[in-house]
Amino acid sequence: MTANKLYRSGELRPSQCTERQVKPNDVPAAKRYLTTIVNCLNRSWAAHFARAGLPFAKVRIGFITKPRRFCETAWIDASARYCDDERRFLVLLDRDLLSEPSDLFLFDVAAHEFGHHLQNLTGMGRAFDRHPYKGKSELNEQLRRYELQAECLAGVFIRSTWESLDRTTQDWETLLDIDRNSGDEQSEHRTHGKGRTIAAWLDKGFRSGSPAACNTWTVPSARVS
């Protein structure tokens, strides 16, 4: 986790990714939108892994409109979840997620779950599962490092597609504000980090454009609070 080859793989090269229009609470349109983004993610990261000499496998995506068991566990409050064993993630297309689909949050959801796929492909997911911890507090900190790394990797990908998106600086600031306002519940603070911390790691990945910026495992605890 601390010295993974992914950190030395260089910047993610610019790529084209066109967003489809999604109206509020339009589930079929959201499925088409997210499928397009996942295709972009698979294509871009596959090329990056090939250049770095890393093995790659595509992620798969599925959709649900009501919470259900996934990856042998109950669905905890989340917009999406990734399963290491299946190399697949599900997105919960409910009214909470689709009430304002014109912002970049849907894009970020897909890119974040793909971040977990990258952790899986590079062995960081397996190492995380086996990493020892002393007590619930230390476990929660490790969970935050894991989740914040996925958010940082999402920022790396968004940066690589930015020139192809019909987006403005205000769109990016709006997404950061969404992150800053997330994690309001204490349980979210414990396992995902405070909103300002989530936004900071997303922005760090975006500004760097490289997985090297996303080594959350070596920074002080205060940076993953």
Side-chain angles (χ1 to χ4, degrees), residues 25 77-79 92-101 103 105:
N25 303 312
D77 186 28
S79 297
L92 176 59
L93 298 176
D94 61 4
R95 288 188 174 274
D96 287 342
L97 184 61
L98 298 183
S99 61
E100 295 288 344
D103 56 40
F105 187 68

Side-chain angles (χ1 to χ4, degrees), residues 8-43:
R8 305 189 300 276
S9 61
E11 290 189 15
L12 188 62
R13 292 181 182 177
S15 62
Q16 298 288 314
C17 193
T18 303
E19 292 182 276
R20 292 171 175 261
Q21 184 175 3
V22 184
K23 295 180 180 179
N25 303 312
D26 188 338
V27 171
K31 289 181 179 180
R32 291 191 294 270
Y33 175 96
L34 287 164
T35 298
T36 297
I37 302 307
V38 167
N39 288 338
C40 294
L41 283 155
N42 277 322
R43 184 171 58 251

Side-chain angles (χ1 to χ4, degrees), residues 19 29 35 39 52 56-57 61 88 91 93 95 98-99 109 119 124 153 157-158 168 170-171 173 185 194 217 220 222:
E19 292 182 276
T35 298
N39 288 338
F56 183 82
I61 187 173
R88 179 171 74 112
V91 182
L93 298 176
R95 288 188 174 274
L98 298 183
S99 61
V109 166
Q119 291 168 323
M124 285 190 280
L153 290 168
F157 176 72
I158 296 171
T168 66
Q170 184 56 52
D171 289 320
E173 290 299 324
E185 298 296 329
K194 297 176 182 177
W217 304 100

